[in-house]
Amino acid sequence: MKSRFVQTTHALLMFTALVFGGSVLAADPIKIGWISSLTGALSSAALAENQGVQLAVDEINKNGGILGRQIELLTRDTSGDPTKAVNFAQQLAFSDKVHVVIGPVNSGEGLAAIPILARAGVPNIVIGSIDELIDPQKYPRAFRVINTNRQWISTANDYALKNLKKTKIAIIADTSGYGTASAKTATELLEKAGIKPVYSVLVDPNKTDLTDEMNKARAAGADIVMPWSAATGLLGRLLNARGDMGWRVPVVGHPALMAAQIRKLLNKPEYWESTFAAGYHSTTFGADGKLPQRTQQLVDKVRPKLGGGEIDVLFWWVAMGYDTVKVIEHAIKTSGSTDPVGIQKVLESTKDFKGVFATYSWSPTEHNGFPDSNMTVNSANTFKDGSFKSAPK
Amino acid sequence: MNSLTHTHKAWLLLGGLLIATLPGWAGDQYQLHLASLIAVYWILIAGLNMVVGFTGQLSIGHVGLLCIGSYAFAVLAGKSGWHPALALVASGVLGGVCGLALGLPSLRLPGFYFAMATMAFALIVNDLVLAQVDLTGGGIGLPGPLFPAPFDSPSGFYYLVSLLALGVTWLSWNLGRHMWGRALISIRDNPVAAQSVGVAVFRAKLTVFVFSGVTAGLAGAVFASLQSYITPDTFVFELSLFFFVCIIIGGRGSIIGPFIGTVVLTALPELVAPLAKLGNFFYGLLLLVVVLVVPEGIGRVFDIIRERLRPRVVHREPISPDLARLDRALKYKP
Amino acid sequence: MLTVLITGLATGMLFAAVALVYNVMYSTSKVLSVTTGHISMLGGVFGAYAISVLQLHWTLGLLAAVVAGGAFGALTELLAIRRVLNRSDEHLWLLSTLALATMVQQAAGLWWGTEPKPFPRLIPQDFGVGVMDQKFWLPIGMTLLMAIGLELFYKRTMYGKVFMAMSEDAFAAQARGISTDRIRLMSYVLSGALGGLAGFAAGQLTFAFFALGLTLTLNGFIALAVGGLGSNVGAILGGAALGLLNAYASYWFGGEYQQTIAVGLLMIVLLVKPEGLLGDRQVRPV
């Protein structure tokens, strides 16, 4: 028999919980964690993605939020350090108790942080490209919005083999984690198509001159060079070497070939000709010179936030950041709550969700949502306002 | 340093109780994770403290040994299927062996040369890890295996690393307070004088260096398990700098100083978000300030404050002559 | 093959220039500073900033690089060296220069950005000239000029002799009325200016990149150790050896083991002849 004191206290507590609990539930914000690398290496991509994320969050909140609840965005900067990414993943999942996490940005951080989020059962929108980040068995609540590395490489390979009809391929990658992994995948995919590269090398991303490698590639009889590296310094030097040598071969490879910084590193602007990279239909000017309607709408919305003038970052970064939040909005709205099980079910049955960056589809066995149909190849020197023209067919 | 006073013992007991019951009072799993990370770092730093703090060998490349320990554990316990406890021991041994291999040629070199050699070692390890793709997964990295129950839960793991850290601390404390430790400090302060009183300088340096290699290997193994995934990006040179700064800030020649340094420097960027962005700049600034203002470490600042607040009472016992007795003695004629 | 030779020589000469900077610093302070590579990084970054961003003529860019380097050298001496040398603790200067190096690298990363930025063309020259390209000959020429200049400075000018006096015996120099603090500051400013000059000359080779500092510190040190501490000719030889070894090794074996090979060279030379090829036998510190 409980004492009078205990009973009264019990009732009082219940009463308080009901009163305050009820009111708290009504205004309870939806917490989205955003693990980014706003400083440090490769920060330019993260900063652009951040613009997209912020814009989407502000837009949704102005229109009343999701299911009447405002979004609270918790941004964490890892500076490219995987240990920090792990710490922030733990913090967001257990301390801040967020409902969804976007990121991390860099694949190296993703490899460490995504398993932690998976273990905590927090839904995770993945924006790193390395294939190993997605696994419906190991990480059941991780869904990828960006294309996979494989999609980049096979698009470039297809263009080289089928459109340009080249068969003697030289692969030049950097010694970083991304470079070594991509070189391996590229060689694999080529071998599946029956082609063996005539020359393949890994280069330190800070090597001051690539003339030797290009000479060796030429000596091996290469008729196309395919670089797999995100290091703009290396790519700039590669294009310079090609130009200085007077070697007329196309260069097809990683989207970083089209980055605005490359233009500044080139000895002559002509060196950017005959340079193609994997790109997206959503950020390609059509035959009529116009961007797809949804992309153009977002460009107009974002332009004032980027200074109002010409956009000099790759626009697909911004579009992708925007889409991550829209995907979350779709998942929570459709499932009716922030329950992770519900979110997972909704995303797994999403077909053709129209975003700006792409139209996404997931299934219980396929957590990579980016369609092959959105991949295309762009010409690097057609950069304008963050988008490109199609490469010649 | 020698024996513990009653106050010391009381503080240690309190600290020990706090540490032992941490999973109970820590706010959530994130804070438990942070505490485990501090323990893991401390395993390495306790060993490194012997090298840097006591012997004065400025090794800035210990992240290489941490990397070796981590990958050894991930490969042995993960790919090769060894029992994690065995893999842990093997990582420690491998760390020690690599410490020997690094120390033998470099410990004879003067200060700057030695520092550069250790830095180059860390860079070489990074190169090798990236290049040996079949063994280490190259840029993709390897998953860090978990320990078997009861250590696979976060609090279980915390107890495991705390026990390891305790063991390493006890070892290094014993090393520090007996004659062996005095020998090390003498080497730090003046190698020539040390040699002249018969300290086997090179042998002492090599022994502590191998010890620090073993602790780094052990730390690497549990680090891999804690992070659950290791990539070469994790083991950057800045991490070596971080370890180094923890020791210098804490004060060379003590053990509790670097421990407090580790706790503060690990937890601080998590608590103060703007610091997290400045990150390494902040560590550099802190190191510079400490070196210029209080080279003995922050611990010294506390000592100074304590002296001001509660100055040690020095008992002056003047010896006053007993004049009467002196008089009798002088007048005494046998 | 000729490009391998020339590239190796050019990067080697950049390392040799850093070794020369080490030598000048060491002569008056007996200190090897971790900030040495960062001086050249600043020279390249400030030169690029002056010419590309502020649109100044390249001579002004050169001046900017020299001033930036000299200023940083002075900063190193005032902050990290002066107060620390008096302490009995031998290795504090290693800590203070390491701290300063970290700070300047992070600050450069925050201000200049973490991407390598282009370094402008200094002399109008066609890009297709291969091995005759100025990005190779500028660092080679500059370093040789610097070495010759330093030799003349030491042998012919009063200040040069004062530097040499300080390096032989600082106490005796002080007893003869030389203000050792001021001379040390001067030597650091000089070494900083030289470092900035070297970074500017090699800018087209390395691009203006914030993370160069630590690599140059290490490689410049290897050049110094191989050639012998205190010898300028040794610095040139050591730098050339290191640069050529790096270039040929990555030509034949690929770029993965570059660091290993460079350090391997260092270790072998240090084991066989610890004072380097042309260094003086170190006097025992008793």
Side-chain angles (χ1 to χ4, degrees), chain A residues 370-392:
Chain A
F370 193 91
D372 287 334
S373 56
N374 196 30
M375 301 291 303
T376 181
V377 181
N378 292 135
S379 287
N381 59 352
T382 59
F383 181 86
K384 188 177 110 142
D385 246 7
S387 299
F388 301 87
K389 286 209 195 108
S390 230

Side-chain angles (χ1 to χ4, degrees), chain A residues 40-44 175 202 204 206-209 211-212 215-216 232-233 237 244 261 264-265 267-268 271, chain C residues 3-4 7 11 110 114-118 126-128 133 135-136 205-207 209 250-252 254-256 258:
Chain A
L42 296 179
S43 58
S44 33
T175 52
L202 294 175
D204 184 278
N206 292 324
K207 190 164 194 282
T208 54
D209 186 77
T211 319
D212 300 322
N215 270 326
K216 279 200 201 164
T232 44
R237 292 192 177 104
D244 291 346
Q261 297 105 301
K264 297 183 204 148
L265 292 172
N267 289 341
K268 287 192 199 156
Y271 289 0
Chain C
T3 20
V4 183
T7 321
T11 41
L110 286 170
T114 53
E115 294 282 321
K117 298 229 178 110
D126 185 35
F127 281 101
D133 196 306
K135 73 178 179 194
F136 299 125
L205 202 58
T206 59
F207 290 156
F209 186 41
S250 58
Y251 184 69
W252 283 321
E256 295 142 296
Q258 218 176 349

Side-chain angles (χ1 to χ4, degrees), chain C residues 182-216:
Chain C
R182 207 145 25 109
I183 296 293
R184 196 172 41 237
L185 183 63
M186 266 181 63
S187 79
Y188 270 72
V189 170
L190 175 66
S191 59
L194 289 175
L197 204 57
F200 185 81
Q204 293 178 62
L205 202 58
T206 59
F207 290 156
F209 186 41
F210 87 112
L212 274 181
L214 223 50
T215 330
L216 284 181

